[in-house]
Amino acid sequence: MSDQYVKVQVEQMKSFGEDAEKEGVDTEEQVPGSSPSASVSPDHPTSTDASSTSLPCKQTGKSRSKPGREDKRHTSDVASQGSVVSSEKNLNRLGYERTLQVKGTGKILQRKSEPNGNYVTIHTSKNIEEMRREEGFKLAKKRRPVTVDTSKAKTSLEALKISIKQLKWKEFPLGRRTACDIYWHGVSFHDNENIVSGQVNKFPGMIEMLRKINLSRAVRTMQELFPEEYDFYPRSWILPEEYQQFTTQIHMVKEKDATVNPTFIVKPDGGSQGDGIYLIRDPSDLKLMTGSQAKQGVVQEYIQKPLLIDKLKFDIRLYVLIKSLEPLEIYIAKEGLTRFCTELYQEPSQKNLSHVFMHLTNYSLNVHSGNFVHSDSQSTGSKRTLSSVLYRLAAKGVDIKRVWSDIIALVIKTVIAVVPELRVYYQADIPPGKPGPTCFQILGFDILLMKNLKPVLLEVNSNPSMRIEHEQEVAPGVFEYVPSPVDEEVKVGVIRDTLRLMDPGHKKPTVPQQRAGGFEQGEEIPMEEETQEKSQDETGTLPSLCLKQVYPKYSKQFNYLRLVERIAALFIRFLGVKGNMRLGPTAFRTFIRTCKLSGSNFTMASVDILYIDITRRWSGATPDSREAGMGLQAFVEAFFYLAARRFKSLALREQVVSLLELCESQLGPQSGVEERRSLSCSRALPRTVKTQAPCLANPQLSSPAPLRRAASQDYRHQRFKPRSLRANVEN
Ligand code: ADP
């Protein structure tokens, strides 16, 4: 070990100490947020390459940011010797320690800093893993426990309490006067308005975005741009505004082929747990009014041939964690639930349309059927684990890897569809620069497998039930909540591992975009990656994470879909006033001018007319509007119109990409869209656009989506209304 090496290491550590001080990092007390993991050897791979000879994580960058010649020489020395791997631990201002692992020998050299910076202790015999574990234990003891405010947790409280206990964190069931690290809300971001730091388990706007109408709209926009990629969502019409289109299309289909007799499912916009849902075969059976008020909802193509198990229809409840919006990070729980109907399935007929226990898989409905089977086993009964069902399918020869890969793709594409509007809500509630918490959220995806194994998205729940008890009829007509082992197994794992991922002491650097991606467009996503998500458990007492990162891991395959997000980035840029969600006429004009979209054949007067026309159609029926003006969905319409006008000869997707590139080039790199371009586009151009997504069950049915596309040639003929909002309930 050369003196020079020791000297350089001392310099590096000093440099870290200074930098930590500069940044206000408390190097004496390991507080959450100070990223203790960054300085703990158990979290660092025992890398044997030269790159790992420098200090890990934060301090690496810092010490490298001002390398002296000596430092550089040293690095190459080490690289050439290939002999030393170092890791930092407990960097205290006074008496910090450092370990050096001698490559290939398993020797550990440990140093306590002396005034002269020399190594004073040498362990040669300790197994590295053993050392790491010990260090982990020490650190776990030293770290202040993560604090969780559970006062608003509602029905997730039981599962949350168990999770916190398992993690040895600290619960504040009545809230806390000082800030907590994590706030767990049962319903919405706004359950507690006074949070200015930490992390909240809900995103602003998520409830609104995932209502049936808004989700349908968001997916439809994507279907217009990427019909093939978004063919996993059943054809849907928004009520009441698309009633006419719906009836016209059904009549046309029936006229063309009298043997075709499709079935439709009608769902109220704010509904959950199967409330208000019914099946129809004729548009005249639609119940459009409640008293004098038009009912808001969607009518959707009914999937007539679902995959059956034991001759019963079932659906999958998959838990998905949105860990962050910017950058987008998505995790999927490897374990989920399946909910079974309680009456043998038959394809819909006029006779059985009202048999809810045959057609609707909702637990909340079927639990009231006399046939509901409560079971402590995970593979029998009316509620089973997803793995038990996949196992059963695999035993029958089903390619479950393919199914799983399709499910992951469905989840990522759906999230990509809702992210643009979520970003608008986010910046309105937590504008950049304003103190506020960061957000994460667990979503419940309801997925049906068709007989041909294609997964279909039914809906996404912003508040999936996290109850770990189920209702049981203890006496005729008397229901009680009793523990449900299947729910506990799945839901506690999801909550606990979400908390582990959100642990402020474990902020891992996000996978850099250029390294992320892994799989090319069209490639199958493997069921299990070789590189499993590492357990983030320092003490080794917890199981490995049940949540698997799918984004940015597979970003390469899906980034080209993020076009609307780029439109949203433009929209947000021109919103101006903090907290706004709508563009005013002046801002819209500024957008047109800045991006140089007006000219002799598109005057500013035409711009104003465009703004007024589109905004008028979207306003009025938007009870959520915080202010007047043009919302994102209206802006997207305007953008499509402008794109179609400017690049007439191209297909829609190419029109949109071309206009985006034009706008982004006018705005320059500081717009932040440059970065987004690398995220989101280059693949969009080569593919030809089909105007209709293939219909899942009835190919004769066409989506209302192309109508909007056609209308983008002349916005005046568009007929659509903006979203509506109602309070959501936990289901
Ligand atoms: P809710 O929020 O009220 O539960 P869902 O959209 O989840 O509404 O629908 C309730 C149930 O109806 C689903 O769990 C599923 O069993 C059935 N279902 C919903 N949409 C369809 C569809 N398009 N085709 C077949 N079955 C459907």
Side-chain angles (χ1 to χ4, degrees), residues 16 19-20 23 25 33-35 38 55-63:
F16 169 69
D19 289 331
E23 288 194 10
V25 177
S34 69
S35 195
L55 298 172
C57 300
K58 202 180 228 170
Q59 58 268 42
T60 303
K62 291 293 177 187
S63 57

Side-chain angles (χ1 to χ4, degrees), residues 427 567-577 583 587 594-595 663 666-673 676:
Q427 62 79 40
I567 301 178
L570 291 176
F571 177 79
I572 291 169
R573 186 193 160 99
F574 286 96
L575 275 178
V577 180
L583 273 191
T594 316
C595 295
C663 294
Q666 296 299 339
L667 291 169
Q670 85 279 22
S671 67
V673 285
R676 258 162 233 129

Side-chain angles (χ1 to χ4, degrees), residues 433-544:
K434 182 191 154 191
T438 54
C439 304
F440 62 95
Q441 188 153 358
I442 299 170
L443 304 175
F445 275 64
D446 290 352
I447 295 166
L448 190 73
L449 289 181
M450 287 170 64
K451 199 174 173 183
N452 63 7
L453 298 170
K454 182 180 170 56
V456 170
L457 177 68
L458 299 178
E459 73 157 347
V460 188
N461 288 277
S462 53
N463 286 314
S465 166
M466 284 295 169
R467 264 190 197 283
I468 52 173
E469 317 94 11
H470 59 207
E471 270 180 71
Q472 197 159 13
E473 195 166 15
V474 285
V478 183
F479 287 85
E480 245 180 30
Y481 279 108
V482 296
S484 163
V486 177
D487 285 285
E488 182 167 337
E489 165 77 20
V490 174
K491 294 174 183 175
V492 169
V494 170
I495 292 186
R496 182 196 60 226
D497 290 351
T498 294
L499 290 174
R500 285 161 82 186
L501 283 169
M502 302 317 299
D503 180 345
H506 272 296
K507 280 262 160 74
K508 282 205 295 185
T510 309
V511 184
Q513 290 295 338
Q514 62 272 24
R515 280 206 293 115
F519 296 84
E520 290 293 337
Q521 191 184 340
E523 264 186 80
E524 188 174 317
I525 297 165
M527 185 141 181
E528 277 307 323
E529 285 285 289
E530 288 153 34
T531 48
Q532 295 250 342
E533 299 301 332
K534 278 223 177 71
S535 165
Q536 300 196 344
D537 173 26
E538 285 152 353
T539 61
T541 53
L542 294 170
S544 63

Side-chain angles (χ1 to χ4, degrees), residues 530-588:
E530 288 153 34
T531 48
Q532 295 250 342
E533 299 301 332
K534 278 223 177 71
S535 165
Q536 300 196 344
D537 173 26
E538 285 152 353
T539 61
T541 53
L542 294 170
S544 63
L545 286 174
C546 73
L547 292 161
K548 170 193 163 72
Q549 194 198 69
V550 295
Y551 202 94
K553 193 173 221 163
Y554 304 126
S555 53
K556 219 176 183 180
Q557 201 173 332
F558 298 97
N559 267 348
Y560 75 103
L561 299 172
R562 298 176 71 178
L563 282 188
V564 182
E565 221 177 314
R566 289 168 66 192
I567 301 178
L570 291 176
F571 177 79
I572 291 169
R573 186 193 160 99
F574 286 96
L575 275 178
V577 180
K578 279 182 182 177
N580 256 6
M581 287 187 67
R582 285 165 189 276
L583 273 191
T586 312
F588 188 68

Side-chain angles (χ1 to χ4, degrees), residues 266-282:
V266 188
K267 310 179 187 183
D269 185 37
S272 64
Q273 304 186 330
D275 275 352
I277 291 189
Y278 58 98
L279 304 188
I280 59 166
R281 305 199 96 189
D282 194 293

Side-chain angles (χ1 to χ4, degrees), residues 631-678:
L632 177 65
Q633 292 177 3
F635 184 75
V636 170
E637 293 300 329
F639 199 87
F640 281 16
Y641 167 75
L642 294 166
R645 235 189 107 92
R646 184 120 190 170
F647 304 98
K648 284 193 182 72
S649 60
L650 302 179
L652 174 71
R653 193 194 313 175
E654 294 163 8
Q655 290 171 343
V656 169
V657 170
S658 303
L659 190 64
L660 272 169
E661 283 176 352
L662 182 71
C663 294
E664 289 166 0
S665 68
Q666 296 299 339
L667 291 169
Q670 85 279 22
S671 67
V673 285
E674 283 300 310
E675 176 203 337
R676 258 162 233 129
R677 181 180 303 171
S678 70

